[in-house]
PDB file of all heavy atoms in Angstrom:
ATOM      1  N   LEU A  98      92.510  99.269 101.152  1.00 98.00           N
ATOM      2  CA  LEU A  98      91.874  99.971 102.271  1.00 98.00           C
ATOM      3  C   LEU A  98      92.473 101.368 102.401  1.00 98.00           C
ATOM      4  O   LEU A  98      93.671 101.551 102.162  1.00 98.00           O
ATOM      5  CB  LEU A  98      92.112  99.206 103.572  1.00 98.00           C
ATOM      6  CG  LEU A  98      91.435  99.832 104.790  1.00 98.00           C
ATOM      7  CD1 LEU A  98      90.323  98.919 105.306  1.00 98.00           C
ATOM      8  CD2 LEU A  98      92.408 100.127 105.915  1.00 98.00           C
ATOM      9  N   PRO A 100      94.094 104.112 104.373  1.00 98.00           N
ATOM     10  CA  PRO A 100      94.763 104.200 105.682  1.00 98.00           C
ATOM     11  C   PRO A 100      94.058 105.218 106.579  1.00 98.00           C
ATOM     12  O   PRO A 100      93.662 106.289 106.119  1.00 98.00           O
ATOM     13  CB  PRO A 100      96.177 104.671 105.328  1.00 98.00           C
ATOM     14  CG  PRO A 100      96.369 104.314 103.902  1.00 98.00           C
ATOM     15  CD  PRO A 100      95.013 104.404 103.263  1.00 98.00           C
ATOM     16  N   THR A 104      96.000 104.718 112.642  1.00 98.00           N
ATOM     17  CA  THR A 104      97.074 103.763 112.358  1.00 98.00           C
ATOM     18  C   THR A 104      98.448 104.431 112.508  1.00 98.00           C
ATOM     19  O   THR A 104      99.476 103.762 112.669  1.00 98.00           O
ATOM     20  CB  THR A 104      96.867 103.159 110.948  1.00 98.00           C
ATOM     21  OG1 THR A 104      95.589 102.533 110.950  1.00 98.00           O
ATOM     22  CG2 THR A 104      97.911 102.132 110.584  1.00 98.00           C
ATOM     23  N   CYS A 133      99.898  92.324 106.232  1.00 98.00           N
ATOM     24  CA  CYS A 133      98.625  92.951 105.838  1.00 98.00           C
ATOM     25  C   CYS A 133      98.862  94.397 105.415  1.00 98.00           C
ATOM     26  O   CYS A 133      98.178  95.322 105.855  1.00 98.00           O
ATOM     27  CB  CYS A 133      97.627  92.905 106.991  1.00 98.00           C
ATOM     28  SG  CYS A 133      97.278  91.249 107.576  1.00 98.00           S
ATOM     29  N   THR A 134      99.826  94.593 104.548  1.00 98.00           N
ATOM     30  CA  THR A 134     100.338  95.939 104.275  1.00 98.00           C
ATOM     31  C   THR A 134      99.389  96.811 103.465  1.00 98.00           C
ATOM     32  O   THR A 134      99.470  98.035 103.509  1.00 98.00           O
ATOM     33  CB  THR A 134     101.724  95.843 103.612  1.00 98.00           C
ATOM     34  OG1 THR A 134     102.381  97.099 103.717  1.00 98.00           O
ATOM     35  CG2 THR A 134     101.633  95.441 102.142  1.00 98.00           C
ATOM     36  N   GLY A 135      98.480  96.210 102.684  1.00 98.00           N
ATOM     37  CA  GLY A 135      97.508  96.999 101.916  1.00 98.00           C
ATOM     38  C   GLY A 135      98.198  97.970 100.978  1.00 98.00           C
ATOM     39  O   GLY A 135      99.046  97.575 100.161  1.00 98.00           O
ATOM     40  N   ILE A 139     101.956 101.750 106.218  1.00 98.00           N
ATOM     41  CA  ILE A 139     102.777 101.579 107.427  1.00 98.00           C
ATOM     42  C   ILE A 139     104.232 101.323 107.024  1.00 98.00           C
ATOM     43  O   ILE A 139     105.162 101.972 107.527  1.00 98.00           O
ATOM     44  CB  ILE A 139     102.250 100.407 108.297  1.00 98.00           C
ATOM     45  CG1 ILE A 139     100.845 100.729 108.820  1.00 98.00           C
ATOM     46  CG2 ILE A 139     103.207 100.084 109.439  1.00 98.00           C
ATOM     47  CD1 ILE A 139     100.151  99.537 109.488  1.00 98.00           C
ATOM     48  N   ASP A 156     101.041  90.961 101.706  1.00 98.00           N
ATOM     49  CA  ASP A 156      99.573  91.044 101.688  1.00 98.00           C
ATOM     50  C   ASP A 156      99.069  89.933 100.764  1.00 98.00           C
ATOM     51  O   ASP A 156      99.737  89.561  99.812  1.00 98.00           O
ATOM     52  CB  ASP A 156      99.108  92.404 101.157  1.00 98.00           C
ATOM     53  CG  ASP A 156      97.677  92.727 101.558  1.00 98.00           C
ATOM     54  OD1 ASP A 156      96.745  92.090 101.001  1.00 98.00           O
ATOM     55  OD2 ASP A 156      97.466  93.583 102.438  1.00 98.00           O
ATOM     56  N   ILE A 157      97.874  89.455 101.064  1.00 98.00           N
ATOM     57  CA  ILE A 157      97.300  88.360 100.263  1.00 98.00           C
ATOM     58  C   ILE A 157      96.653  88.894  98.986  1.00 98.00           C
ATOM     59  O   ILE A 157      96.374  88.133  98.065  1.00 98.00           O
ATOM     60  CB  ILE A 157      96.285  87.566 101.134  1.00 98.00           C
ATOM     61  CG1 ILE A 157      96.114  86.150 100.598  1.00 98.00           C
ATOM     62  CG2 ILE A 157      94.951  88.287 101.233  1.00 98.00           C
ATOM     63  CD1 ILE A 157      95.524  85.198 101.619  1.00 98.00           C
ATOM     64  N   SER A 158      96.422  90.214  98.939  1.00 98.00           N
ATOM     65  CA  SER A 158      95.684  90.794  97.810  1.00 98.00           C
ATOM     66  C   SER A 158      96.641  91.413  96.783  1.00 98.00           C
ATOM     67  O   SER A 158      97.352  92.378  97.081  1.00 98.00           O
ATOM     68  CB  SER A 158      94.711  91.859  98.339  1.00 98.00           C
ATOM     69  OG  SER A 158      94.405  92.784  97.331  1.00 98.00           O
ATOM     70  N   ALA A 161      95.757  95.127  96.189  1.00 98.00           N
ATOM     71  CA  ALA A 161      96.305  96.064  97.185  1.00 98.00           C
ATOM     72  C   ALA A 161      97.802  96.277  96.928  1.00 98.00           C
ATOM     73  O   ALA A 161      98.304  97.409  96.995  1.00 98.00           O
ATOM     74  CB  ALA A 161      96.081  95.519  98.596  1.00 98.00           C
ATOM     75  N   GLY A 182     101.103  87.039  99.452  1.00 97.00           N
ATOM     76  CA  GLY A 182     100.873  85.738 100.072  1.00 97.00           C
ATOM     77  C   GLY A 182     100.179  85.868 101.410  1.00 97.00           C
ATOM     78  O   GLY A 182      99.886  86.975 101.882  1.00 97.00           O
ATOM     79  N   ASP A 183      99.942  84.708 102.033  1.00 97.00           N
ATOM     80  CA  ASP A 183      99.216  84.643 103.288  1.00 97.00           C
ATOM     81  C   ASP A 183     100.162  84.969 104.463  1.00 97.00           C
ATOM     82  O   ASP A 183     101.177  84.273 104.650  1.00 97.00           O
ATOM     83  CB  ASP A 183      98.647  83.225 103.416  1.00 97.00           C
ATOM     84  CG  ASP A 183      97.843  83.040 104.680  1.00 97.00           C
ATOM     85  OD1 ASP A 183      97.153  83.986 105.093  1.00 97.00           O
ATOM     86  OD2 ASP A 183      97.924  81.943 105.273  1.00 97.00           O
ATOM     87  N   LEU A 184      99.844  85.970 105.205  1.00 96.00           N
ATOM     88  CA  LEU A 184     100.602  86.407 106.401  1.00 96.00           C
ATOM     89  C   LEU A 184     102.116  86.225 106.264  1.00 96.00           C
ATOM     90  O   LEU A 184     102.755  86.866 105.451  1.00 96.00           O
ATOM     91  CB  LEU A 184     100.064  85.711 107.652  1.00 96.00           C
ATOM     92  CG  LEU A 184      98.672  86.144 108.117  1.00 96.00           C
ATOM     93  CD1 LEU A 184      98.354  85.534 109.474  1.00 96.00           C
ATOM     94  CD2 LEU A 184      98.502  87.652 108.171  1.00 96.00           C
ATOM     95  N   ASN A 201      98.394  95.685 110.624  1.00 98.00           N
ATOM     96  CA  ASN A 201      97.036  96.196 110.818  1.00 98.00           C
ATOM     97  C   ASN A 201      96.128  95.233 110.067  1.00 98.00           C
ATOM     98  O   ASN A 201      95.769  95.462 108.923  1.00 98.00           O
ATOM     99  CB  ASN A 201      96.902  97.624 110.251  1.00 98.00           C
ATOM    100  CG  ASN A 201      95.475  98.141 110.367  1.00 98.00           C
ATOM    101  OD1 ASN A 201      94.653  97.567 111.087  1.00 98.00           O
ATOM    102  ND2 ASN A 201      95.175  99.217 109.661  1.00 98.00           N
ATOM    103  N   PRO A 202      95.782  94.115 110.733  1.00 98.00           N
ATOM    104  CA  PRO A 202      94.995  93.092 110.041  1.00 98.00           C
ATOM    105  C   PRO A 202      93.513  93.469 110.004  1.00 98.00           C
ATOM    106  O   PRO A 202      93.091  94.371 110.728  1.00 98.00           O
ATOM    107  CB  PRO A 202      95.190  91.859 110.938  1.00 98.00           C
ATOM    108  CG  PRO A 202      95.388  92.436 112.304  1.00 98.00           C
ATOM    109  CD  PRO A 202      96.056  93.770 112.136  1.00 98.00           C
ATOM    110  N   PRO A 203      92.722  92.793 109.169  1.00 98.00           N
ATOM    111  CA  PRO A 203      91.277  93.015 109.238  1.00 98.00           C
ATOM    112  C   PRO A 203      90.789  92.587 110.623  1.00 98.00           C
ATOM    113  O   PRO A 203      91.136  91.499 111.066  1.00 98.00           O
ATOM    114  CB  PRO A 203      90.717  92.084 108.148  1.00 98.00           C
ATOM    115  CG  PRO A 203      91.825  91.204 107.718  1.00 98.00           C
ATOM    116  CD  PRO A 203      93.106  91.784 108.195  1.00 98.00           C
ATOM    117  N   ILE A 224      87.935  91.723 102.321  1.00 97.00           N
ATOM    118  CA  ILE A 224      89.087  90.978 102.873  1.00 97.00           C
ATOM    119  C   ILE A 224      89.963  91.879 103.757  1.00 97.00           C
ATOM    120  O   ILE A 224      90.733  91.400 104.581  1.00 97.00           O
ATOM    121  CB  ILE A 224      89.915  90.338 101.741  1.00 97.00           C
ATOM    122  CG1 ILE A 224      90.858  89.280 102.306  1.00 97.00           C
ATOM    123  CG2 ILE A 224      90.673  91.381 100.928  1.00 97.00           C
ATOM    124  CD1 ILE A 224      91.508  88.412 101.269  1.00 97.00           C
ATOM    125  N   ALA A 225      89.799  93.192 103.579  1.00 98.00           N
ATOM    126  CA  ALA A 225      90.570  94.132 104.402  1.00 98.00           C
ATOM    127  C   ALA A 225      89.834  94.472 105.694  1.00 98.00           C
ATOM    128  O   ALA A 225      90.391  95.130 106.574  1.00 98.00           O
ATOM    129  CB  ALA A 225      90.842  95.409 103.612  1.00 98.00           C
ATOM    130  N   LEU A 235      92.579  86.829 112.262  1.00 98.00           N
ATOM    131  CA  LEU A 235      93.965  87.053 111.814  1.00 98.00           C
ATOM    132  C   LEU A 235      94.865  87.504 112.952  1.00 98.00           C
ATOM    133  O   LEU A 235      96.032  87.111 113.033  1.00 98.00           O
ATOM    134  CB  LEU A 235      94.013  88.056 110.649  1.00 98.00           C
ATOM    135  CG  LEU A 235      94.163  87.314 109.317  1.00 98.00           C
ATOM    136  CD1 LEU A 235      92.835  86.784 108.857  1.00 98.00           C
ATOM    137  CD2 LEU A 235      94.831  88.143 108.280  1.00 98.00           C
ATOM    138  N   ARG A 238      96.101  84.503 114.765  1.00 98.00           N
ATOM    139  CA  ARG A 238      97.156  83.803 113.999  1.00 98.00           C
ATOM    140  C   ARG A 238      98.472  84.564 114.061  1.00 98.00           C
ATOM    141  O   ARG A 238      99.540  83.971 114.221  1.00 98.00           O
ATOM    142  CB  ARG A 238      96.726  83.672 112.529  1.00 98.00           C
ATOM    143  CG  ARG A 238      95.874  82.467 112.242  1.00 98.00           C
ATOM    144  CD  ARG A 238      95.614  82.357 110.747  1.00 98.00           C
ATOM    145  NE  ARG A 238      96.837  82.167 109.979  1.00 98.00           N
ATOM    146  CZ  ARG A 238      96.943  82.397 108.665  1.00 98.00           C
ATOM    147  NH1 ARG A 238      95.907  82.835 107.980  1.00 98.00           N
ATOM    148  NH2 ARG A 238      98.078  82.189 108.047  1.00 98.00           N
TER     149      ARG A 238
HETATM  150  C1  SAM B 301      92.899  96.639 107.553  1.00 97.56           C
HETATM  151  S1  SAM B 301      93.763  96.436 105.995  1.00 97.56           S
HETATM  152  C2  SAM B 301      95.286  97.250 106.408  1.00 97.56           C
HETATM  153  C3  SAM B 301      95.956  97.921 105.255  1.00 97.56           C
HETATM  154  C4  SAM B 301      97.148  98.815 105.653  1.00 97.56           C
HETATM  155  N1  SAM B 301      98.139  98.116 106.421  1.00 97.56           N
HETATM  156  C5  SAM B 301      96.656 100.020 106.442  1.00 97.56           C
HETATM  157  O1  SAM B 301      96.913 100.094 107.647  1.00 97.56           O
HETATM  158  O2  SAM B 301      96.020 100.902 105.857  1.00 97.56           O
HETATM  159  C6  SAM B 301      94.118  94.715 106.082  1.00 97.56           C
HETATM  160  C7  SAM B 301      94.902  94.118 104.918  1.00 97.56           C
HETATM  161  O3  SAM B 301      95.107  92.723 105.205  1.00 97.56           O
HETATM  162  C8  SAM B 301      95.098  91.988 104.001  1.00 97.56           C
HETATM  163  N2  SAM B 301      94.841  90.578 104.320  1.00 97.56           N
HETATM  164  C9  SAM B 301      93.669  89.990 104.632  1.00 97.56           C
HETATM  165  N3  SAM B 301      93.859  88.680 104.879  1.00 97.56           N
HETATM  166  C10 SAM B 301      95.196  88.431 104.743  1.00 97.56           C
HETATM  167  C11 SAM B 301      96.019  87.260 104.886  1.00 97.56           C
HETATM  168  N4  SAM B 301      95.499  86.078 105.241  1.00 97.56           N
HETATM  169  N5  SAM B 301      97.334  87.392 104.657  1.00 97.56           N
HETATM  170  C12 SAM B 301      97.867  88.599 104.302  1.00 97.56           C
HETATM  171  N6  SAM B 301      97.151  89.722 104.153  1.00 97.56           N
HETATM  172  C13 SAM B 301      95.827  89.644 104.374  1.00 97.56           C
HETATM  173  C14 SAM B 301      94.041  92.676 103.162  1.00 97.56           C
HETATM  174  O4  SAM B 301      94.221  92.420 101.792  1.00 97.56           O
HETATM  175  C15 SAM B 301      94.250  94.163 103.536  1.00 97.56           C
HETATM  176  O5  SAM B 301      95.097  94.791 102.614  1.00 97.56           O
END
Side-chain angles (χ1 to χ4, degrees):
L98 182 113
T104 301
C133 302
T134 197
I139 296 170
D156 200 288
I157 204 161
S158 156
D183 181 36
L184 290 189
N201 177 14
I224 195 169
L235 260 80
R238 274 185 62 199

